[in-house]
Amino acid sequence: GNSVTQMEGPVTLSEEAFLTINCTYTATGYPSLFWYVQYPGEGLQLLLKATKADDKGSNKGFEATYRKETTSFHLEKGSVQVSDSAVYFCALLNAGGTSYGKLTFGQGTILTVHP
Amino acid sequence: GAVVSQHPSWVICKSGTSVKIECRSLDFQATTMFWYRQFPKQSLMLMATSNEGSKATYEQGVEKDKFLINHASLTLSTLTVTSAHPEDSSFYICSEAIESIQYFGAGTRLSVL
């Protein structure tokens, strides 16, 4: 079945540091890919998405490029802020089969940014 | 603004009682909603897919009689945890799908004493 593997955390950075959170996937067909962010005590919010190979999703300074050749969707930000501290989830939308329309999530990566 | 409203945000109950969690679509008519469970510091586990006007589709290993899902209208889906026990304590999150994007509620933290 489909699966998503995220870089293990937690990740601790100083403010203004560069962020990379790795995400690779295994899927049949051509899934859409997402990054969701979860702030403490809250539900998930869509951060960015990409629907086909070579698409780049971007939002709030975060970027991720859909790389079909490496089956990856790594999240990057050039300069993190304390307010970016949260849990980040990589996910794919199953494109077919019995799991059509369902999201498969990675395990989540906890990011803590210190002033 | 929020697309999905989930209520309550936090509930404490005694063992053996039932708890109902509501998930409302605010801006759209949600034909399909999803219910997830999240354990501390872990990912989301899909429990069931809720379809308006029909029975929910449960994922393997999820007890249908324990977690009752009702989707009686296009804007409301409910999850009832029946005869709750301490092991049911968790964070429950609903979502609705709009054009292949899922929008999540803020979640409900259930603590069973």
Side-chain angles (χ1 to χ4, degrees):
Chain A
N2 294 345
S3 66
V4 177
T5 302
Q6 271 182 250
M7 164 179 166
E8 290 208 17
V11 174
T12 303
L13 296 172
S14 297
E15 206 164 26
E16 299 184 3
F18 183 85
L19 169 71
T20 299
I21 300 178
N22 289 339
C23 171
T24 57
Y25 67 91
T26 302
T28 54
Y30 302 95
S32 295
L33 301 173
F34 304 85
W35 277 99
Y36 281 88
V37 58
Q38 184 179 29
Y39 297 102
E42 299 184 12
L44 274 68
Q45 300 176 25
L46 177 66
L47 181 60
L48 52 84
K49 68 179 177 75
T51 57
K52 61 183 187 297
D54 300 325
D55 267 2
K56 177 186 283 188
S58 61
N59 185 26
K60 300 180 181 179
F62 290 91
E63 292 184 340
T65 301
Y66 190 144
R67 300 285 187 200
K68 187 168 179 288
E69 64 276 13
T70 55
T71 60
S72 65
F73 193 54
H74 305 321
L75 181 69
E76 297 182 336
K77 186 173 185 181
S79 176
V80 293
Q81 305 299 312
V82 173
S83 57
D84 293 327
S85 299
V87 183
Y88 291 82
F89 291 95
C90 184
L92 68 81
L93 183 67
N94 293 281
T98 56
S99 295
Y100 178 76
K102 298 178 183 178
L103 283 175
T104 298
F105 285 92
Q107 65 268 42
T109 301
I110 300 171
L111 170 65
T112 303
V113 180
H114 292 298
Chain B
V3 175
V4 177
S5 173
Q6 188 172 342
H7 179 80
S9 58
W10 189 27
V11 57
I12 302 174
C13 69
K14 293 183 178 179
S15 187
T17 60
S18 294
V19 173
K20 180 184 284 188
I21 302 169
E22 294 187 348
C23 184
R24 290 184 183 275
S25 174
L26 300 180
D27 298 329
F28 298 90
Q29 293 184 329
T31 305
T32 302
M33 286 188 170
F34 300 89
W35 286 95
Y36 296 84
R37 181 173 180 176
Q38 185 180 29
F39 292 98
K41 298 184 179 181
Q42 293 190 27
S43 189
L44 280 72
M45 179 192 78
L46 179 64
M47 299 174 66
T49 304
S50 169
N51 298 296
E52 187 268 334
S54 63
K55 290 184 179 180
T57 304
Y58 290 81
E59 296 298 303
Q60 193 172 10
V62 177
E63 298 178 60
K64 301 178 183 181
D65 295 332
K66 164 66 103 173
F67 301 100
L68 298 179
I69 292 172
N70 183 280
H71 195 155
S73 77
L74 284 170
T75 59
L76 177 65
S77 176
T78 61
L79 166 67
T80 301
V81 183
T82 62
S83 186
H85 291 283
E87 58 265 29
D88 299 323
S89 298
S90 194
F91 194 57
Y92 294 88
I93 309 176
C94 67
S95 73
E96 73 167 316
I98 303 170
E99 295 182 358
S100 81
I101 295 174
Q102 286 193 26
Y103 295 89
F104 289 81
T108 298
R109 183 159 303 285
L110 170 64
S111 297
V112 184
L113 304 178

